[in-house]
């Protein structure tokens, strides 16, 4: 294979021999790779066997994001698996675009095509652009493998030089990692910078920018609506929306897979909830709610307050069912004291211990080693602060 071609590994895998080999090695376990490679190299080129086994490993990793049915047909790079949008999030966003009347979108910094695939499946015509030749080749192969090539045009180009006029929407997913620096926290150090992405979004009838969920609120452009998305309780990303009928400064948390959303505008955002003593129930807000600064809205729904002005735990005397927080019934409140906690857990025969922390320097595994839980019962301990004091709250899911 030509070492000068970044996509050299991919082309042979797209041949009938390569596809057959991919099917053969699909379920190869890591411990068996050497033996499988040795056997296959008797009948196939060594480079092709290595490429197929590497692709099989990537496909196995990708199942968590893309599902088995798609992952087993798609092509991946290590960075592509790590950085691509998971199908559940991409599908949700594509449906938002479709509901807003979008029929064509310029997907800038498209990566291996996760979002482009979701857009196309929503019936939206896509121009997918990336400047990396290997990434472009993989994105094109994925559109073809999933039968979406007619709706997805993949183009190798510098996104800053692409004319997006004529498209209903622009979606930008700037690179937020560097091979030298790792994760990038400064939005102006994104590639391309956030300021350029904002200007590109504002030129379209609808613009959306994918950003790191940890972005400081003061770095969010005033014209944007900001949305934080969690999937299965894990915060996956934030999106800045620019739309003519939007509300600048609005904040939204979206919880998947339930598609439970909570939103507040600058005019409706609530002040910080009051601090009150720990009640019978403790609520742990979803990470998207916390990132969106919407804990006050959830606390109002729960008729609760904070246990500490700096801690995003809500407490209440009554149990309320809400999609925006996980509820725990609190049985004990103790000042931080490992010996007392160990004695209590031994008395309760707690062997299954879940340790959560917020506002505590103690690491869960460190505490677990010290208390050595043993027994047939389960409990959750929260290492936190209550009214400024280091506190341990013991309870169980409500």
């Amino acid at each position: 294979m030509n070492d000068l071609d970044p996509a050299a590994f991919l082309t042979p895998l797209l041949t009938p021999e390569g596809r057959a080999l991919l099917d053969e090695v699909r379920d190869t376990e890591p411990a068996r790779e050497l033996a499988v490679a040795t056997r296959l190299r008797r009948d196939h080129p060594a480079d092709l066997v290595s490429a197929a086994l590497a692709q099989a490993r990537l496909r196995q990793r990708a199942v968590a994001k893309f599902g088995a049915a798609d992952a087993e047909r798609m092509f991946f790079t290590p960075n592509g698996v790590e950085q691509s949008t998971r199908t559940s999030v991409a599908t949700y966003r594509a449906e938002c675009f479709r509901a807003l009347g979008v029929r064509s979108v310029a997907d800038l910094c498209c990566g291996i095509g996760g979002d482009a695939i979701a857009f196309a499946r929503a019936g939206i015509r896509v121009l997918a652009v990336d400047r990396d030749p290997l990434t472009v080749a993989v994105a094109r192969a994925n559109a073809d493998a999933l039968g979406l090539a007619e709706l997805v045009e993949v183009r190798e180009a510098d996104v800053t030089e692409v004319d997006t006029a004529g498209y209903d929407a622009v979606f930008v997913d700037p690179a937020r990692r560097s091979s030298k620096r790792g994760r990038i926290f400064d939005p102006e150090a994104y590639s391309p910078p956030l300021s350029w992405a904002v200007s590109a979004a504002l030129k379209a009838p609808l613009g959306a920018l994918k950003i790191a969920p940890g972005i400081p609120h003061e770095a969010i452009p005033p014209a944007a609506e900001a949305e934080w998305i969690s999937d299965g309780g894990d915060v996956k990303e934030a999106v800045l929306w620019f739309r003519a009928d939007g509300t600048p400064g609005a904040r939204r948390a979206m919880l998947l897979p339930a598609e439970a959303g909570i939103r507040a505008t600058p005019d409706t955002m609530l002040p910080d909830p009051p601090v009150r003593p720990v009640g019978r129930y403790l609520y742990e807000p979803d990470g998207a709610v916390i990132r969106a600064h919407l804990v006050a809205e959830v606390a109002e729904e729960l008729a609760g307050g904070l246990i500490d002005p700096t801690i995003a735990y809500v407490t209440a005397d009554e149990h309320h069912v809400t999609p925006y927080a996980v509820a725990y019934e609190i049985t004990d409140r103790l000042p931080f004291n490992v010996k007392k906690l160990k004695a209590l857990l031994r008395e309760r025969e707690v062997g299954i211990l879940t340790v959560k922390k917020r506002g505590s320097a103690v690491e869960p595994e460190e505490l677990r080693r010290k208390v050595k839980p043993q027994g047939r019962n389960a409990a959750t301990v929260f290492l936190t602060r209550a009214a400024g004091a280091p506190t341990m709250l013991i309870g169980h899911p409500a």
Side-chain angles (χ1 to χ4, degrees):
M1 288 186 286
N2 181 4
D3 291 336
L4 297 179
D5 178 7
F9 85 92
L10 181 62
T11 303
L13 292 176
L14 299 176
T15 65
E17 180 184 12
R19 292 181 184 277
L21 201 55
L22 283 170
D23 288 339
E24 188 169 350
V25 302
R26 176 189 302 164
D27 299 319
T28 301
E29 298 175 359
R32 295 183 56 243
E33 278 193 6
L34 181 58
V36 170
T38 301
R39 174 176 58 82
L40 292 175
R41 283 170 181 160
R42 297 170 190 159
D43 302 310
H44 303 280
D47 285 351
L48 180 58
V49 172
S50 296
L53 285 169
Q55 196 59 215
R57 287 196 300 272
L58 292 173
R59 285 178 167 182
Q60 290 167 7
R61 285 174 53 194
V63 168
K65 276 192 173 182
F66 291 89
D70 281 353
E72 290 175 358
R73 293 185 289 165
M74 292 174 66
F75 296 88
F76 300 96
T77 64
N79 285 341
V81 172
E82 180 70 24
Q83 299 176 24
S84 57
T85 305
R86 64 177 49 230
T87 294
S88 55
V89 177
T91 299
Y92 158 71
R93 179 166 39 245
E95 287 301 317
C96 290
F97 274 60
R98 186 191 61 77
L100 290 168
V102 172
R103 293 296 174 261
S104 63
V105 59
D107 179 2
L108 307 181
C109 308
C110 67
I112 64 169
D115 283 287
I117 289 166
F119 286 134
R121 283 178 167 166
I124 299 172
R125 180 172 57 86
V126 187
L127 170 64
V129 184
D130 205 285
R131 68 181 179 183
D132 178 65
L134 173 56
T135 300
V136 166
V138 172
R140 188 174 288 122
N142 285 336
D144 183 65
L146 299 178
L148 300 168
E150 290 187 1
L151 280 172
V152 181
E153 175 194 348
V154 184
R155 184 184 303 175
E156 180 185 335
D158 184 332
V159 297
T160 64
E161 299 175 358
V162 174
D163 182 7
T164 61
Y167 288 88
D168 296 336
V170 167
F171 175 68
V172 191
D173 183 5
R176 295 177 298 282
R177 291 179 182 270
S178 165
S179 58
K180 294 182 179 179
R181 298 164 54 192
R183 193 182 299 274
I184 297 171
F185 297 97
D186 177 8
E188 283 306 297
Y190 292 173
S191 180
L194 179 62
S195 56
W196 179 88
V198 170
S199 67
L202 289 172
K203 293 176 183 177
L206 172 68
L209 314 180
K210 179 179 172 181
I211 57 172
I215 187 172
H217 277 233
E218 56 268 23
I220 297 173
E225 286 196 23
E227 177 182 40
W228 282 260
I229 304 172
S230 69
D231 189 16
D234 294 328
V235 182
K236 297 303 179 184
E237 63 182 59
V239 182
L240 302 182
W241 293 88
F242 299 86
R243 40 188 291 198
D245 60 346
T247 305
R251 301 290 182 262
R252 180 167 65 236
M254 176 56 62
L255 283 56
L256 302 177
E259 292 197 16
I262 183 170
R263 179 178 182 270
T265 68
D267 292 336
T268 64
M269 287 178 183
L270 299 176
D272 291 340
V275 176
R276 52 151 291 174
V278 177
R280 181 177 177 182
Y281 294 94
L282 187 75
Y283 294 86
E284 183 180 28
D286 185 273
V289 170
I290 296 172
R291 294 282 193 182
H293 293 183
L294 295 174
V295 172
E297 281 69 17
V298 173
E300 182 180 62
E301 176 186 316
L302 299 172
L306 298 180
I307 66 171
D308 185 276
T310 63
I311 303 295
Y313 282 138
V314 176
T315 188
D317 297 318
E318 302 292 335
H319 180 226
H320 302 274
V321 177
T322 174
Y324 307 116
V326 178
Y328 295 84
E329 185 173 6
I330 299 302
T331 57
D332 301 88
R333 173 184 173 181
L334 304 172
F336 183 83
N337 187 303
V338 175
K339 289 184 178 180
K340 289 185 178 180
L341 177 64
K342 185 176 182 179
L344 185 148
L345 296 177
R346 186 185 301 116
E347 177 186 338
R348 304 273 175 84
E349 297 184 356
V350 173
I352 304 171
L353 182 65
T354 300
V355 182
K356 293 177 172 285
K357 58 171 279 184
R358 188 167 288 166
S360 172
V362 179
E363 292 300 326
E365 286 308 314
E366 176 188 352
L367 181 70
R368 192 186 303 277
R369 285 194 299 270
K370 290 181 177 179
V371 301
K372 300 175 182 178
Q374 292 181 341
R376 55 189 176 82
N377 297 320
T380 300
V381 60
F382 295 86
L383 306 177
T384 187
R385 292 194 305 273
T391 300
M392 299 183 297
L393 304 175
I394 298 91
H396 53 80

